[in-house]
Coordinates of all heavy atoms in Angstrom, one line a residue:
M5 N 63.7 21.9 -124.0 CA 63.9 20.7 -123.2 C 62.6 19.8 -123.3 O 62.7 18.6 -123.4 CB 64.4 21.0 -121.8 CG 64.7 19.8 -121.0 SD 66.2 19.1 -121.6 CE 66.6 18.0 -120.3
P6 N 61.4 20.4 -123.1 CA 60.2 19.6 -123.1 C 60.0 19.0 -124.5 O 59.4 17.9 -124.6 CB 59.1 20.6 -122.8 CG 59.7 21.8 -122.1 CD 61.1 21.8 -122.6
L7 N 60.5 19.7 -125.5 CA 60.3 19.1 -126.9 C 61.1 17.8 -127.0 O 60.6 16.9 -127.7 CB 60.7 20.2 -127.9 CG 60.5 19.8 -129.4 CD1 59.0 19.6 -129.6 CD2 61.0 20.9 -130.3
I8 N 62.3 17.8 -126.5 CA 63.1 16.6 -126.6 C 62.5 15.5 -125.8 O 62.4 14.3 -126.3 CB 64.6 16.9 -126.1 CG1 65.2 17.9 -127.0 CG2 65.4 15.6 -126.0 CD1 66.6 18.4 -126.5
I9 N 62.0 15.7 -124.6 CA 61.3 14.7 -123.8 C 60.1 14.2 -124.5 O 59.9 13.0 -124.6 CB 61.0 15.3 -122.4 CG1 62.3 15.6 -121.6 CG2 60.1 14.3 -121.6 CD1 62.1 16.3 -120.3
T10 N 59.3 15.1 -125.1 CA 58.1 14.7 -125.8 C 58.5 13.8 -127.0 O 57.9 12.8 -127.3 CB 57.4 15.9 -126.4 OG1 57.1 16.7 -125.3 CG2 56.1 15.5 -127.1
F11 N 59.6 14.1 -127.7 CA 60.0 13.3 -128.9 C 60.4 11.9 -128.4 O 60.0 11.0 -129.0 CB 61.2 14.0 -129.5 CG 61.9 13.2 -130.6 CD1 61.3 13.0 -131.8 CD2 63.1 12.6 -130.4 CE1 61.9 12.3 -132.8 CE2 63.7 11.8 -131.3 CZ 63.1 11.7 -132.5
F12 N 61.2 11.8 -127.3 CA 61.6 10.5 -126.8 C 60.4 9.7 -126.3 O 60.4 8.5 -126.5 CB 62.7 10.6 -125.7 CG 64.0 10.9 -126.3 CD1 64.7 12.1 -126.0 CD2 64.6 10.0 -127.2 CE1 66.0 12.3 -126.5 CE2 65.9 10.3 -127.7 CZ 66.6 11.5 -127.4
V13 N 59.5 10.3 -125.7 CA 58.3 9.6 -125.2 C 57.5 9.1 -126.4 O 57.0 7.9 -126.4 CB 57.4 10.5 -124.4 CG1 56.0 9.9 -124.1 CG2 58.1 10.8 -123.0
L14 N 57.3 9.9 -127.5 CA 56.6 9.4 -128.7 C 57.4 8.3 -129.4 O 56.8 7.3 -129.9 CB 56.4 10.6 -129.6 CG 55.3 11.6 -129.2 CD1 55.3 12.8 -130.2 CD2 54.0 10.9 -129.2
L15 N 58.7 8.5 -129.4 CA 59.6 7.4 -130.0 C 59.4 6.1 -129.3 O 59.2 5.1 -129.9 CB 61.0 7.9 -130.1 CG 62.0 6.9 -130.8 CD1 61.7 6.8 -132.2 CD2 63.4 7.5 -130.6
F16 N 59.6 6.2 -128.0 CA 59.4 5.0 -127.1 C 58.0 4.4 -127.3 O 57.9 3.1 -127.4 CB 59.7 5.3 -125.7 CG 59.6 4.1 -124.8 CD1 60.6 3.2 -124.7 CD2 58.5 4.0 -123.9 CE1 60.5 2.1 -123.9 CE2 58.4 2.9 -123.1 CZ 59.4 1.9 -123.1
G17 N 57.0 5.2 -127.3 CA 55.6 4.7 -127.4 C 55.4 4.0 -128.8 O 54.8 2.9 -128.9
S18 N 56.0 4.6 -129.8 CA 55.9 4.0 -131.2 C 56.6 2.6 -131.2 O 56.1 1.7 -131.8 CB 56.4 4.9 -132.2 OG 55.7 6.1 -132.2
I19 N 57.8 2.6 -130.7 CA 58.6 1.4 -130.7 C 57.9 0.3 -129.9 O 57.8 -0.9 -130.4 CB 60.0 1.6 -130.2 CG1 60.8 2.4 -131.2 CG2 60.7 0.3 -130.0 CD1 62.1 2.9 -130.7
T20 N 57.3 0.6 -128.8 CA 56.6 -0.3 -128.0 C 55.4 -0.8 -128.7 O 55.1 -2.0 -128.7 CB 56.1 0.3 -126.6 OG1 57.3 0.9 -126.0 CG2 55.4 -0.6 -125.7
A21 N 54.6 0.0 -129.4 CA 53.5 -0.4 -130.2 C 53.8 -1.3 -131.3 O 53.1 -2.3 -131.5 CB 52.7 0.8 -130.7
V22 N 54.9 -1.0 -132.0 CA 55.4 -1.9 -133.1 C 55.8 -3.3 -132.6 O 55.4 -4.3 -133.2 CB 56.5 -1.2 -133.9 CG1 57.2 -2.2 -134.8 CG2 56.0 0.0 -134.6
V23 N 56.5 -3.3 -131.5 CA 57.0 -4.6 -130.9 C 55.8 -5.4 -130.5 O 55.7 -6.6 -130.7 CB 58.0 -4.4 -129.8 CG1 58.2 -5.6 -129.0 CG2 59.3 -3.8 -130.3
Y24 N 54.8 -4.8 -129.8 CA 53.6 -5.4 -129.4 C 52.9 -6.0 -130.5 O 52.4 -7.2 -130.5 CB 52.7 -4.5 -128.6 CG 51.4 -5.1 -128.2 CD1 51.4 -6.0 -127.1 CD2 50.2 -4.8 -128.9 CE1 50.2 -6.6 -126.7 CE2 49.0 -5.4 -128.5 CZ 49.0 -6.3 -127.4 OH 47.8 -6.8 -127.1
R25 N 52.7 -5.2 -131.6 CA 52.0 -5.7 -132.8 C 52.7 -6.9 -133.4 O 52.1 -7.9 -133.8 CB 51.9 -4.5 -133.8 CG 51.2 -4.9 -135.0 CD 49.7 -4.8 -134.8 NE 49.1 -4.9 -136.1 CZ 48.0 -5.6 -136.3 NH1 47.4 -6.1 -135.3 NH2 47.5 -5.6 -137.5
L26 N 54.1 -6.9 -133.5 CA 54.8 -8.0 -134.1 C 54.7 -9.2 -133.2 O 54.5 -10.3 -133.8 CB 56.3 -7.6 -134.3 CG 56.6 -6.6 -135.3 CD1 58.1 -6.2 -135.3 CD2 56.2 -7.1 -136.7
L27 N 54.7 -9.1 -131.9 CA 54.6 -10.3 -131.0 C 53.2 -10.8 -131.1 O 53.0 -12.1 -131.1 CB 54.9 -9.9 -129.6 CG 56.4 -9.6 -129.3 CD1 56.6 -9.1 -127.9 CD2 57.3 -10.8 -129.6
T28 N 52.2 -10.0 -131.2 CA 50.8 -10.5 -131.4 C 50.7 -11.2 -132.7 O 50.0 -12.3 -132.7 CB 49.8 -9.3 -131.3 OG1 50.0 -8.6 -130.1 CG2 48.4 -9.8 -131.4
H29 N 51.3 -10.7 -133.7 CA 51.2 -11.4 -135.0 C 51.9 -12.7 -135.0 O 51.3 -13.7 -135.5 CB 51.8 -10.5 -136.1 CG 51.9 -11.1 -137.5 ND1 50.7 -11.3 -138.2 CD2 52.9 -11.6 -138.2 CE1 51.1 -11.9 -139.3 NE2 52.4 -12.1 -139.3
R30 N 53.0 -12.8 -134.4 CA 53.8 -14.1 -134.3 C 52.9 -15.1 -133.5 O 52.9 -16.3 -133.8 CB 55.1 -13.9 -133.6 CG 56.1 -13.3 -134.5 CD 57.5 -13.3 -133.9 NE 58.0 -14.6 -133.6 CZ 59.0 -14.9 -132.9 NH1 59.7 -14.0 -132.4 NH2 59.4 -16.2 -132.8
E31 N 52.3 -14.6 -132.4 CA 51.5 -15.5 -131.6 C 50.3 -16.0 -132.4 O 49.9 -17.2 -132.3 CB 51.0 -14.8 -130.3 CG 50.2 -15.6 -129.4 CD 49.8 -14.8 -128.1 OE1 50.6 -14.1 -127.6 OE2 48.6 -14.9 -127.8
R32 N 49.7 -15.2 -133.1 CA 48.5 -15.6 -133.9 C 48.9 -16.5 -135.0 O 48.2 -17.5 -135.3 CB 47.9 -14.3 -134.6 CG 46.5 -14.6 -135.2 CD 45.9 -13.3 -135.7 NE 45.9 -12.2 -134.7 CZ 46.2 -11.0 -135.0 NH1 46.5 -10.6 -136.3 NH2 46.3 -10.0 -134.1
M33 N 50.1 -16.3 -135.7 CA 50.5 -17.2 -136.7 C 50.9 -18.6 -136.1 O 50.7 -19.6 -136.7 CB 51.7 -16.6 -137.5 CG 51.4 -15.4 -138.3 SD 50.0 -15.6 -139.4 CE 50.7 -16.7 -140.5
A34 N 51.5 -18.6 -134.9 CA 51.8 -19.9 -134.2 C 50.6 -20.6 -133.9 O 50.5 -21.9 -134.0 CB 52.6 -19.6 -133.0
E35 N 49.5 -19.9 -133.5 CA 48.2 -20.6 -133.2 C 47.6 -21.2 -134.4 O 47.1 -22.3 -134.4 CB 47.3 -19.6 -132.6 CG 45.9 -20.1 -132.2 CD 45.0 -19.1 -131.7 OE1 45.5 -18.1 -131.1 OE2 43.8 -19.2 -131.9
L36 N 47.7 -20.5 -135.5 CA 47.2 -21.0 -136.8 C 48.0 -22.3 -137.2 O 47.4 -23.2 -137.7 CB 47.2 -20.0 -137.9 CG 46.2 -18.9 -137.8 CD1 46.5 -17.8 -138.9 CD2 44.8 -19.4 -137.9
E37 N 49.3 -22.2 -137.1 CA 50.2 -23.3 -137.4 C 49.9 -24.5 -136.6 O 49.9 -25.7 -137.0 CB 51.6 -22.9 -137.4 CG 52.6 -24.0 -137.8 CD 52.5 -24.2 -139.3 OE1 52.1 -23.4 -140.1 OE2 52.9 -25.3 -139.7
A38 N 49.6 -24.3 -135.3 CA 49.3 -25.4 -134.4 C 48.0 -26.1 -134.7 O 47.8 -27.3 -134.5 CB 49.3 -24.9 -132.9
R39 N 47.0 -25.3 -135.3 CA 45.8 -25.9 -135.6 C 45.8 -26.6 -137.0 O 44.9 -27.3 -137.4 CB 44.7 -24.8 -135.7 CG 44.2 -24.4 -134.3 CD 42.9 -23.6 -134.4 NE 43.3 -22.2 -134.6 CZ 42.5 -21.3 -135.1 NH1 41.3 -21.6 -135.5 NH2 42.9 -20.1 -135.2
R40 N 46.9 -26.4 -137.7 CA 47.0 -27.0 -139.0 C 47.2 -28.5 -138.9 O 48.1 -29.0 -138.1 CB 48.2 -26.5 -139.8 CG 48.4 -27.0 -141.1 CD 49.6 -26.3 -141.8 NE 49.9 -26.9 -143.1 CZ 50.9 -26.6 -143.8 NH1 51.9 -25.8 -143.3 NH2 51.1 -27.2 -145.0
P41 N 46.4 -29.3 -139.5 CA 46.5 -30.8 -139.3 C 47.8 -31.3 -140.0 O 48.2 -30.9 -141.1 CB 45.3 -31.3 -140.0 CG 44.9 -30.3 -141.0 CD 45.3 -29.0 -140.5
Y42 N 48.4 -32.3 -139.4 CA 49.5 -33.0 -139.9 C 49.1 -34.4 -140.1 O 48.6 -35.1 -139.2 CB 50.7 -32.9 -139.0 CG 51.3 -31.6 -138.9 CD1 51.0 -30.7 -137.9 CD2 52.2 -31.1 -139.9 CE1 51.6 -29.4 -137.8 CE2 52.8 -29.9 -139.8 CZ 52.4 -29.0 -138.8 OH 53.0 -27.8 -138.7
I43 N 49.3 -34.9 -141.3 CA 48.9 -36.3 -141.7 C 50.1 -37.0 -142.1 O 50.9 -36.6 -142.9 CB 47.9 -36.2 -142.8 CG1 46.6 -35.5 -142.4 CG2 47.5 -37.6 -143.3 CD1 45.7 -35.2 -143.5
T44 N 50.3 -38.2 -141.6 CA 51.4 -39.1 -142.0 C 50.8 -40.3 -142.7 O 49.9 -41.0 -142.3 CB 52.1 -39.6 -140.7 OG1 52.6 -38.5 -139.9 CG2 53.3 -40.5 -141.1
L45 N 51.3 -40.5 -143.9 CA 50.9 -41.6 -144.7 C 52.0 -42.7 -144.6 O 53.1 -42.5 -144.8 CB 50.7 -41.2 -146.2 CG 49.7 -40.1 -146.4 CD1 49.8 -39.7 -147.9 CD2 48.3 -40.5 -146.1
Q46 N 51.5 -43.9 -144.4 CA 52.4 -45.0 -144.3 C 52.5 -45.7 -145.7 O 51.5 -46.0 -146.3 CB 52.0 -46.1 -143.3 CG 53.0 -47.2 -143.1 CD 52.6 -48.1 -142.0 OE1 51.6 -47.8 -141.3 NE2 53.3 -49.1 -141.8
L47 N 53.7 -45.8 -146.2 CA 53.9 -46.3 -147.6 C 53.9 -47.9 -147.5 O 54.2 -48.4 -146.5 CB 55.2 -45.8 -148.2 CG 55.3 -44.3 -148.3 CD1 56.7 -43.9 -148.7 CD2 54.2 -43.8 -149.3
P48 N 53.5 -48.5 -148.6 CA 53.5 -49.9 -148.7 C 54.9 -50.5 -148.5 O 55.9 -49.8 -148.8 CB 52.9 -50.3 -150.0 CG 52.8 -49.0 -150.8 CD 53.0 -47.9 -149.9
P49 N 55.1 -51.7 -148.0 CA 56.4 -52.2 -147.8 C 57.2 -52.3 -149.1 O 56.6 -52.6 -150.2 CB 56.2 -53.6 -147.2 CG 54.7 -53.7 -146.8 CD 54.0 -52.6 -147.5
G50 N 58.5 -52.1 -149.1 CA 59.3 -52.2 -150.3 C 59.4 -50.9 -151.0 O 60.2 -50.9 -152.0
T51 N 58.7 -49.9 -150.6 CA 58.8 -48.6 -151.3 C 60.0 -47.8 -150.7 O 60.0 -47.6 -149.5 CB 57.5 -47.8 -151.2 OG1 56.5 -48.6 -151.6 CG2 57.6 -46.5 -152.0
S52 N 60.9 -47.5 -151.5 CA 62.1 -46.7 -151.0 C 61.9 -45.2 -151.3 O 61.2 -44.8 -152.2 CB 63.4 -47.2 -151.7 OG 63.4 -46.8 -153.0
V53 N 62.5 -44.5 -150.4 CA 62.4 -43.0 -150.6 C 63.1 -42.5 -151.9 O 62.6 -41.6 -152.5 CB 63.1 -42.3 -149.3 CG1 63.2 -40.8 -149.5 CG2 62.4 -42.7 -148.1
E54 N 64.1 -43.2 -152.3 CA 64.8 -42.8 -153.6 C 63.8 -42.9 -154.7 O 63.8 -42.1 -155.7 CB 66.0 -43.7 -153.8 CG 67.2 -43.4 -152.9 CD 67.0 -44.1 -151.6 OE1 66.2 -45.1 -151.5 OE2 67.6 -43.6 -150.6
E55 N 62.9 -43.9 -154.7 CA 61.9 -44.0 -155.8 C 60.9 -42.9 -155.7 O 60.4 -42.5 -156.8 CB 61.2 -45.3 -155.7 CG 62.0 -46.6 -155.9 CD 61.3 -47.9 -155.6 OE1 60.1 -47.8 -155.2 OE2 61.9 -48.9 -155.8
L56 N 60.6 -42.4 -154.5 CA 59.6 -41.4 -154.4 C 60.0 -40.0 -154.5 O 59.2 -39.1 -154.6 CB 59.0 -41.6 -153.0 CG 58.3 -42.9 -152.7 CD1 57.8 -42.9 -151.2 CD2 57.1 -43.1 -153.6
V57 N 61.3 -39.7 -154.6 CA 61.8 -38.4 -154.7 C 61.2 -37.7 -155.9 O 60.8 -36.5 -155.9 CB 63.3 -38.3 -154.7 CG1 63.8 -36.9 -155.0 CG2 63.8 -38.7 -153.3
G58 N 61.2 -38.4 -157.0 CA 60.6 -37.9 -158.2 C 59.1 -37.9 -158.1 O 58.4 -37.2 -158.9
G59 N 58.5 -38.6 -157.2 CA 57.0 -38.6 -157.0 C 56.5 -39.8 -157.7 O 56.8 -40.1 -158.9
D60 N 55.7 -40.6 -157.0 CA 55.0 -41.7 -157.6 C 53.5 -41.4 -157.9 O 53.1 -40.3 -157.6 CB 55.1 -43.0 -156.7 CG 54.4 -42.8 -155.4 OD1 54.1 -41.6 -155.0 OD2 54.1 -43.8 -154.7
E61 N 52.8 -42.3 -158.5 CA 51.5 -42.0 -158.9 C 50.6 -41.8 -157.6 O 49.7 -40.9 -157.7 CB 50.9 -43.2 -159.7 CG 49.5 -43.0 -160.3 CD 49.5 -41.8 -161.2 OE1 50.5 -41.5 -161.9 OE2 48.4 -41.1 -161.2
L62 N 50.7 -42.5 -156.6 CA 49.9 -42.4 -155.4 C 50.1 -41.0 -154.8 O 49.1 -40.3 -154.4 CB 50.3 -43.5 -154.3 CG 49.5 -43.4 -153.0 CD1 48.0 -43.6 -153.3 CD2 50.0 -44.5 -152.1
T63 N 51.4 -40.6 -154.7 CA 51.6 -39.2 -154.1 C 51.0 -38.2 -155.0 O 50.4 -37.2 -154.5 CB 53.2 -39.0 -154.1 OG1 53.7 -40.1 -153.3 CG2 53.5 -37.7 -153.4
R64 N 51.1 -38.3 -156.3 CA 50.4 -37.3 -157.2 C 48.9 -37.3 -157.0 O 48.3 -36.2 -157.0 CB 50.8 -37.6 -158.6 CG 52.2 -37.0 -159.0 CD 52.4 -37.1 -160.5 NE 52.6 -38.4 -161.0 CZ 53.7 -39.1 -161.0 NH1 54.8 -38.5 -160.6 NH2 53.8 -40.3 -161.5
Q65 N 48.3 -38.5 -156.9 CA 46.9 -38.5 -156.7 C 46.5 -37.9 -155.4 O 45.5 -37.1 -155.3 CB 46.4 -40.0 -156.7 CG 46.5 -40.6 -158.1 CD 46.1 -42.1 -158.0 OE1 45.9 -42.7 -156.9 NE2 46.1 -42.7 -159.2
I66 N 47.2 -38.1 -154.3 CA 46.9 -37.5 -153.0 C 47.1 -36.0 -153.1 O 46.2 -35.2 -152.7 CB 47.9 -38.0 -151.9 CG1 47.5 -39.5 -151.7 CG2 47.7 -37.2 -150.7 CD1 48.5 -40.2 -150.8
E67 N 48.1 -35.5 -153.8 CA 48.3 -34.0 -153.9 C 47.2 -33.4 -154.8 O 46.6 -32.3 -154.4 CB 49.6 -33.7 -154.6 CG 50.8 -33.9 -153.7 CD 52.1 -33.7 -154.4 OE1 52.2 -33.8 -155.6 OE2 53.1 -33.4 -153.6
E68 N 46.7 -34.1 -155.8 CA 45.6 -33.6 -156.7 C 44.3 -33.6 -155.9 O 43.6 -32.6 -156.0 CB 45.5 -34.4 -157.9 CG 46.6 -34.2 -158.9 CD 46.5 -35.2 -160.1 OE1 45.5 -35.9 -160.2 OE2 47.5 -35.3 -160.9
A69 N 44.1 -34.6 -155.1 CA 42.9 -34.6 -154.3 C 42.9 -33.5 -153.3 O 41.8 -32.9 -153.0 CB 42.7 -36.0 -153.6
C70 N 44.0 -33.3 -152.7 CA 44.1 -32.2 -151.7 C 43.9 -30.8 -152.4 O 43.1 -30.0 -151.8 CB 45.5 -32.2 -151.0 SG 45.7 -33.6 -149.9
R71 N 44.5 -30.6 -153.5 CA 44.3 -29.4 -154.2 C 42.8 -29.2 -154.6 O 42.3 -28.1 -154.6 CB 45.1 -29.3 -155.5 CG 46.5 -28.7 -155.2 CD 47.3 -28.4 -156.4 NE 48.6 -29.2 -156.3 CZ 48.9 -30.2 -157.0 NH1 48.2 -30.7 -158.0 NH2 50.1 -30.8 -156.8
A72 N 42.1 -30.3 -155.0 CA 40.7 -30.2 -155.5 C 39.8 -29.8 -154.3 O 38.8 -29.1 -154.5 CB 40.3 -31.5 -156.0
K73 N 40.2 -30.2 -153.1 CA 39.4 -29.8 -151.9 C 39.9 -28.5 -151.3 O 39.4 -28.1 -150.2 CB 39.5 -30.9 -150.8 CG 38.8 -32.1 -151.3 CD 38.6 -33.1 -150.1 CE 37.8 -34.3 -150.6 NZ 37.3 -35.1 -149.5
G74 N 40.9 -27.9 -151.9 CA 41.4 -26.6 -151.3 C 42.4 -26.7 -150.2 O 42.5 -25.8 -149.4
I75 N 43.0 -27.9 -150.0 CA 43.9 -28.1 -148.9 C 45.4 -28.0 -149.5 O 45.7 -28.5 -150.5 CB 43.8 -29.6 -148.4 CG1 42.3 -29.7 -147.9 CG2 44.8 -29.8 -147.3 CD1 42.0 -31.2 -147.5
D76 N 46.1 -27.2 -148.7 CA 47.5 -26.9 -149.1 C 48.3 -28.1 -148.5 O 48.5 -28.1 -147.3 CB 48.0 -25.6 -148.6 CG 49.4 -25.3 -148.9 OD1 49.9 -25.8 -150.0 OD2 50.1 -24.6 -148.2
A77 N 48.8 -29.0 -149.3 CA 49.6 -30.2 -148.8 C 51.0 -30.0 -149.1 O 51.4 -29.8 -150.2 CB 49.0 -31.4 -149.5
D78 N 51.8 -30.2 -148.1 CA 53.3 -30.2 -148.2 C 53.7 -31.7 -148.0 O 53.4 -32.3 -147.0 CB 54.0 -29.4 -147.1 CG 53.6 -27.9 -147.3 OD1 53.5 -27.5 -148.4 OD2 53.6 -27.2 -146.3
V79 N 54.4 -32.2 -149.0 CA 54.9 -33.6 -149.0 C 56.3 -33.6 -148.6 O 57.2 -33.0 -149.3 CB 54.7 -34.3 -150.3 CG1 55.1 -35.7 -150.3 CG2 53.2 -34.3 -150.7
D80 N 56.6 -34.2 -147.5 CA 58.0 -34.4 -147.0 C 58.4 -35.9 -146.9 O 57.5 -36.7 -146.5 CB 58.2 -33.8 -145.6 CG 58.0 -32.3 -145.6 OD1 58.4 -31.7 -146.6 OD2 57.5 -31.7 -144.6
F81 N 59.5 -36.2 -147.4 CA 60.0 -37.6 -147.4 C 61.0 -37.7 -146.2 O 61.9 -37.0 -146.2 CB 60.6 -38.0 -148.7 CG 59.6 -37.9 -149.8 CD1 59.7 -36.9 -150.7 CD2 58.7 -38.9 -150.0 CE1 58.8 -36.8 -151.8 CE2 57.7 -38.9 -151.0 CZ 57.8 -37.8 -151.9
E82 N 60.8 -38.7 -145.4 CA 61.7 -39.0 -144.3 C 62.3 -40.3 -144.4 O 61.7 -41.3 -144.8 CB 61.0 -38.9 -142.9 CG 60.5 -37.4 -142.7 CD 59.7 -37.3 -141.4 OE1 59.7 -38.3 -140.6 OE2 59.2 -36.3 -141.1

């Protein structure tokens, strides 16, 4: 009987440690994501999103400049 209780205590302790570790990791990743800068670029008047889906020259230049400085840039069109 003590062997079964010991097994369940170890199992419960292990599960608790894993859940705590995962929650700590999620919190740390959320903190890093919150510190990540978000930049909004205003496009010149008359530029439509349909033209930009393929990417225009300005967007490519911005992405290249970001890569040259080691910045991971995600371009989203709204």
Side-chain angles (χ1 to χ4, degrees):
M5 186 71 164
L7 185 61
I8 294 173
I9 294 173
T10 305
F11 173 74
F12 282 119
V13 167
L14 288 174
L15 182 66
F16 179 75
S18 298
I19 291 172
T20 304
V22 167
V23 168
Y24 175 77
R25 181 79 170 143
L26 289 174
L27 291 176
T28 304
H29 177 70
R30 283 186 66 189
E31 183 178 315
R32 193 175 312 135
M33 294 308 291
E35 181 182 329
L36 287 174
E37 184 68 25
R39 283 193 272 160
R40 182 178 177 190
Y42 290 98
I43 300 170
T44 304
L45 300 175
Q46 186 172 356
L47 299 173
T51 306
S52 68
V53 175
E54 289 80 22
E55 294 173 0
L56 296 176
V57 171
D60 66 342
E61 186 60 32
L62 179 61
T63 305
R64 280 193 288 275
Q65 289 175 356
I66 292 170
E67 288 177 334
E68 288 174 10
C70 288
R71 272 190 236 110
K73 291 190 174 196
I75 299 171
D76 181 27
D78 295 327
V79 178
D80 294 326
F81 297 104
E82 295 180 3

